[in-house]
Amino acid sequence: MSKKKQRQIRTDFRKNRVERQRKVNFTRDFAAGEPEEIDSVREERISGKGELSRRRTVRAADETACADDSNSQPVLAVDEAVCLAGRVLKVNGLLSTVETADGRRYQCATRRLLKTISTDLRHVVVAGDHVLIRPADDKEGIIERVERRYGVLSRASRGRQHTIVANVDQLLIVGSAAEPYLKPNLIDRYLMSAEKAHIRPLIVINKIDLVEPAGLMPLVGVYSQMGYPVILTSARSGTGVDRLRRELVDRQTAVVGQSGVGKSSLLNATEPGLALRVASVSQETQKGRHTTTTAELLRTQSGGYLVDTPGIRQFQLWDIVPAEVQNYFRDLRPYVGLCKFPDCSHTHEEECAVKDAVADDLLDVRRYESYLSILEGSLDDLEDWS
Ligand code: GDP
Ligand code: ZN
């Protein structure tokens, strides 16, 4: 068992765990475990009275495991000697497909204790997680530990946060110059998500074979000035595809953008091995067909991973309150501290440095309008944007 710094953390029981079941299941789950592990279970203390208030104390393997945000989970101490490190490629109900470093794949259930300490059963394990598994044979195993996550993309699902994928370091935001027409405000929304999740955004404007590229330059200029890389591509003619391929090397890239902009075509062009389905236009117009939300990691030849699923293409922003919006607009940030009112929303207020900057052409008008539309429009009702 790991002898790293340990600390105790308190965690809620899931409501549906009645005491008798717990005993039965612990016995069964840990019967096959190492003695150390059984010891660690004994160290859990049960306190509180009612079902809702009952908590248990478990040991976390490192100090920072429970820090900051709701995406982090306690990292459990496990017997690392019998475990293999792997990456969750996909979660299918209770089973996860885990790929280990040597490329082997295991179908894994999740250790029950992990589920218990999770605040939300649905993201005990998500695609992209780095995990430790205990193999049962060469095809199956148990996920013993989920490592700390970074770069988490979430969407709102019936008022709750639903983690779609973890450990992403690049958000590929794809729009098309035409068919469907370019929606810069949608790009801005995805940029906010990237900023919030601390994921590097990469903007791609596809189908430039359909337009005069010079017309896109003002927009490209605005994003470039903010430090966002922009690539103009055509999956059809091949323009920009090499550059895009280079940007994917060794990266964990999640792909977002509305239907029909050419995401599958582009990814197929950069990675011919993927063979993603390219939808015909008629398929694309049938809304509601893309109901799957299961994210899947696809390994690229160059060593990175791509995450491309309809469920993540059109995710809603989670957890961004109006006052926060300005923080995720890089170009607004230099001005927000200069407004007369510290809580200025940059809408109706007087002596607003943001509005002054727009008037002085220091801030792009369209970006400011995009900011306003995000503030006014419901942050939690973005389905229409996709
Ligand atoms: P996705 O929904 O974003 O994955 O888009 P698809 O890759 O399925 O492409 C949607 C449609 O756009 C298909 O009919 C493609 O053939 C077409 N398409 C994709 N890329 C390009 C491009 O660069 N130029 C043009 N003219 N059409 C494209
Ligand atoms: Zn202001």
Side-chain angles (χ1 to χ4, degrees):
M1 192 167 124
S2 163
K3 291 279 182 273
K4 285 183 214 158
K5 275 184 285 178
Q6 293 197 333
R7 67 183 183 123
Q8 294 190 323
I9 46 164
R10 289 172 68 75
T11 166
D12 285 320
F13 263 122
R14 283 195 294 128
K15 247 191 282 180
N16 63 351
R17 290 179 69 98
V18 297
E19 191 160 56
R20 206 179 63 81
Q21 266 180 358
R22 189 181 67 243
K23 278 183 182 148
V24 169
N25 288 325
F26 274 171
T27 313
R28 193 175 57 218
D29 283 1
F30 290 99
E34 298 293 307
E36 291 86 352
E37 192 171 10
I38 292 167
D39 281 343
S40 75
V41 174
R42 282 202 203 107
E43 282 164 18
E44 291 165 4
R45 284 178 291 132
I46 310 291
S47 62
K49 288 149 203 122
E51 186 66 26
L52 286 169
S53 67
R54 207 187 313 132
R55 285 163 168 258
R56 75 199 311 192
T57 303
V58 295
R59 305 175 80 185
D62 79 63
E63 273 303 312
T64 53
C66 289
D68 59 334
D69 61 29
S70 59
N71 295 317
S72 59
Q73 293 187 317
V75 176
L76 286 179
V78 298
D79 184 354
E80 294 179 27
V82 298
C83 288
L84 294 174
R87 188 95 196 259
V88 176
L89 299 181
K90 162 166 98 166
V91 178
N92 212 336
L94 294 173
L95 284 182
S96 307
T97 305
V98 176
E99 189 176 64
T100 51
D102 58 7
R104 261 195 280 183
R105 292 192 180 185
Y106 294 85
Q107 294 302 313
C108 295
T110 303
R111 178 181 168 186
R112 192 167 183 89
L113 183 57
L114 268 183
K115 293 183 191 166
T116 305
I117 61 177
S118 171
T119 49
D120 183 338
L121 183 63
R122 285 176 305 172
H123 37 94
V124 179
V125 177
V126 301
D129 268 336
H130 291 287
V131 293
L132 280 184
I133 65 164
R134 179 196 296 265
D137 53 34
D138 59 358
K139 288 200 180 66
E140 293 181 357
I142 301 281
I143 295 176
E144 294 280 327
R145 186 164 93 188
V146 178
E147 307 295 358
R148 194 153 186 257
R149 293 171 181 153
Y150 64 89
V152 171
L153 288 178
S154 307
R155 70 184 168 83
S157 172
R158 277 177 257 123
R160 303 179 76 185
Q161 182 182 18
H162 184 45
T163 304
I164 304 162
V165 62
N167 307 318
V168 164
D169 55 25
Q170 178 163 265
L171 189 66
L172 180 62
I173 302 169
V174 187
S176 57
E179 299 177 21
Y181 60 88
L182 192 60
K183 298 189 178 90
N185 288 14
L186 183 57
I187 294 177
D188 292 340
R189 283 165 192 254
Y190 286 127
L191 285 172
M192 282 182 68
S193 300
E195 292 280 349
K196 183 170 171 76
H198 303 289
I199 299 172
R200 172 194 198 243
L202 172 61
I203 301 167
V204 164
I205 301 174
N206 188 39
K207 305 201 189 185
I208 56 154
D209 54 290
L210 298 178
V211 299
E212 178 52 58
L216 293 167
M217 287 311 150
L219 186 74
V220 172
V222 167
Y223 287 127
S224 302
Q225 263 178 17
M226 283 187 263
Y228 295 126
V230 185
I231 309 180
L232 302 182
T233 64
S234 167
R236 183 152 296 173
S237 75
T239 307
V241 168
D242 283 343
R243 172 148 180 235
L244 175 59
R245 189 183 295 116
R246 284 198 298 277
E247 297 285 351
L248 302 179
V249 172
D250 284 337
R251 288 215 166 94
Q252 321 287 310
T253 305
V255 187
V256 294
Q258 69 173 138
S259 281
V261 294
K263 293 180 297 296
S264 307
S265 308
L266 265 181
L267 297 180
N268 285 334
T270 55
E271 285 281 328
L274 291 178
L276 297 173
R277 191 179 62 90
V278 173
S280 71
V281 173
S282 63
Q283 275 176 312
E284 289 297 342
T285 53
Q286 311 252 327
K287 279 224 161 188
R289 287 179 66 124
H290 302 290
T291 48
T292 172
T293 55
T294 323
E296 181 171 6
L297 268 67
L298 308 166
R299 199 201 276 261
T300 63
Q301 288 163 346
S302 56
Y305 282 97
L306 282 167
V307 192
D308 170 54
T309 75
I312 124 151
R313 287 172 176 183
Q314 294 151 25
F315 65 95
Q316 296 178 308
L317 298 172
W318 169 259
D319 219 17
I320 295 180
V321 296
E324 265 184 277
V325 172
Q326 62 179 26
N327 302 336
Y328 305 120
F329 270 68
R330 265 188 203 182
D331 40 350
L332 260 68
R333 266 189 241 150
Y335 303 103
V336 297
L338 306 174
C339 299
K340 179 179 180 189
F341 305 105
D343 60 348
C344 185
S345 68
H346 325 299
T347 53
H348 59 278
E349 293 90 345
E350 283 168 22
E351 295 183 49
C352 167
V354 171
K355 286 196 286 183
D356 288 348
V358 176
D360 294 344
D361 275 342
L362 296 168
L363 255 179
D364 182 50
V365 175
R366 190 207 58 77
R367 280 280 294 176
Y368 175 65
E369 285 170 353
S370 180
Y371 165 80
L372 293 180
S373 92
I374 289 172
L375 263 198
E376 290 160 10
S378 47
L379 276 174
D380 45 20
D381 181 25
L382 298 176
E383 290 290 82
D384 293 346
W385 285 82
S386 51

